[in-house]
């Protein structure tokens, strides 16, 4: 079992839980995110483009496939996180955890695409996964939303 350390408030904090990740709170991380209804449609469209069910809307230069896939995974995880925040029931919370895990797995394979200060390998237990999504969404949004 990992060694615990003292947290700021004096309680023991296990390393790598993600509880001490300084990710922005949801209202800051998602401050400039589209409203939920619009984001649902955009994330579904990104999935349809990826699967070949819909042609990509060309509005700019070609997008690197790896960057586009990461943007899709990030936006999907952020969407599920936001939905779980709005309705903290087991279904939405489970979906948020699952999509956060998918983003983490992707970022562990492609650490060069990580934008925030905490690398995915620093996140090993559940509580930090959604914080990781918030960290990455805020960093992604601040850099102009590459891959979209």
């Amino acid at each position: 079992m990992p060694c615990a350390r003292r947290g700021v408030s004096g309680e023991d904090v296990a390393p790598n839980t993600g509880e001490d990740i300084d990710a922005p709170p949801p209202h800051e991380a998602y401050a400039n995110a589209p409203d939920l209804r619009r984001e649902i449609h955009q994330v579904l469209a990104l999935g349809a483009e990826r699967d070949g069910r819909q042609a990509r809307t060309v509005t700019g230069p070609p997008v690197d496939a790896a960057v586009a896939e990461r943007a899709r995974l990030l936006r999907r995880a952020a969407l599920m996180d936001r939905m779980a925040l709005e309705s903290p029931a087991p279904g939405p919370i489970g979906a948020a955890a699952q999509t956060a895990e998918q983003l983490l797995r992707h970022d562990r394979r492609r650490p060069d695409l990580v934008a925030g200060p905490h690398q995915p390998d620093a996140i090993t237990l559940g509580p930090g996964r959604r914080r990781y999504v918030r960290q990455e969404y805020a960093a992604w949004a601040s850099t102009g939303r590459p891959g979209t």
Side-chain angles (χ1 to χ4, degrees):
M1 173 140 180
C3 201
R5 65 179 173 81
R6 279 290 196 217
V8 174
S9 63
E11 76 272 10
D12 288 336
V13 178
N16 298 325
T17 64
E19 292 175 8
D20 57 347
I21 287 178
D22 58 351
H27 70 276
E28 289 177 18
Y30 304 131
N32 297 316
D35 66 72
L36 284 175
R37 175 181 227 113
R38 183 172 173 222
E39 187 68 347
I40 289 169
H41 290 290
Q42 290 178 352
V43 168
L44 288 172
L46 290 171
E49 288 173 12
R50 175 184 164 244
D51 298 343
R53 294 176 282 129
Q54 177 177 314
R56 180 177 183 273
T57 307
V58 180
T59 58
V63 177
D64 178 270
V67 173
E69 176 62 6
R70 196 218 183 224
R72 184 189 71 80
L73 289 169
L74 174 61
R75 289 179 71 181
R76 190 167 151 240
L79 174 63
M80 293 298 114
D81 184 39
R82 291 172 61 203
M83 292 174 76
L85 290 165
E86 292 262 329
S87 177
I93 289 172
Q98 181 180 28
T99 56
E101 178 62 30
Q102 291 168 352
L103 177 66
L104 274 165
R105 282 195 314 258
H106 176 274
D107 285 0
R108 284 181 179 133
R109 289 188 307 271
R110 292 296 310 263
D112 57 308
L113 298 177
V114 173
H118 299 283
Q119 292 295 308
D121 285 338
I123 315 302
T124 57
L125 301 176
R129 290 182 171 130
R130 287 177 59 194
R131 286 185 182 93
Y132 178 77
V133 170
R134 294 171 196 153
Q135 165 197 279
E136 289 302 302
Y137 190 89
W140 173 77
S142 74
T143 59
R145 300 176 183 232
T148 58

